[in-house]
Amino acid sequence: MDLNKQTKRSPGRRGLLRGATVACCAMALSAAGATAASASAPTARTAPTVNYVALGDSYASGPGIPTQVDATCARSDQNYPSLLAAARNWQVTDVSCSGATTTALAGPQGTQPPQLDALGTDTDVVTLTIGGNDLGFSNNLATCAGLTSKDPTGSPCQTFFTSDGTDRLAQRVDDIAPRIAAALDAVRERAPHAKVLMVGYPDLFPDDGVGCTSSAVPLAAGDFAYLRDTEKKLNAMIADQASAHGAGYVDTYTPTVGHDMCKPAGERWIEPLAATAPAAPAHPNAQGQQAMAAAVEQALRCGAYRR
């Protein structure tokens, strides 16, 4: 894929990375101005190698996006870790794997070794996208899609998950929090000197709650807001755990608002449940991965986390 060939409505990877950092450029220049002004012959030194390890699930691995370089984990060489490493000239060890849960970090995932095995005392940067599979989000979407035909204008999915008087998906989010905490502690134990960034999930559904029930998105009109709120709860919990355990949090939701699965091809960065671009259903396509890379780049440039 030629990254320089983009539609007018979709800036290229370099444009996304530049654009994502504009808002914090003044702050970054202010903080680094004195150092930059006094630096002497920076090109005379060889920049040290930055060892970057990417952990996580399919939102990190980029299933279906060309080119797939690991069939077992459905990992693309155009996923956000690869794009970030290329933009920063980092040495990357990418062990992100589709289907990963917090359990898979510390234990084997099929024939794959534990993701945490990739970490070491020489690891400088870690990104981690995890929690969606613990919530069972793909299965939840399948359940919701199956209920849609019974009440396409109502909210059968929300009714199903709240039928006992409690929101079972919201409760699952709360139940996952200790697992995220344990995962972050395990990362810190294995990579004590690393900058650790929890990377959240992008905007899957219209942020205004107005849906697009169709054969490509077979979700009932009244369930889009409920599913949106569930994703927001998941992201908020992940952000809270990151803060509590000395990690940074990368918000990929806000910069992807307006590019959800309901938008037309060319505008959407998340594929619908019947994907039309090379990507997994309800997952970021190539443009979505570019946007996620840009969000991580912005967090790094703006000092969202400092070791």
Side-chain angles (χ1 to χ4, degrees), residues 14-23:
R14 294 182 184 278
L16 275 167
L17 292 179
R18 285 196 300 269
T21 63
V22 168

Side-chain angles (χ1 to χ4, degrees), residues 141 203-206 212 216-217 219 224 259-264 268-273 281-283:
L141 285 179
D203 179 19
L204 304 183
F205 312 101
C212 60
V217 188
L219 300 172
F224 283 88
H259 300 279
D260 55 80
M261 67 173 67
C262 282
K263 297 301 182 289
R268 65 172 172 255
W269 296 346
I270 304 296
E271 287 302 301
L273 274 64
H283 277 69

Side-chain angles (χ1 to χ4, degrees), residues 213-231:
T213 306
S214 66
S215 59
V217 188
L219 300 172
D223 282 327
F224 283 88
Y226 172 67
L227 292 169
R228 173 207 61 196
D229 290 346
T230 298
E231 184 188 358

Side-chain angles (χ1 to χ4, degrees), residues 165-189:
T166 61
D167 185 339
R168 297 199 300 278
L169 293 188
Q171 183 59 54
R172 287 183 199 173
V173 170
D174 291 340
D175 292 343
I176 294 166
R179 304 181 207 171
I180 299 293
L184 286 167
D185 289 343
V187 168
R188 177 60 62 204
E189 181 179 358

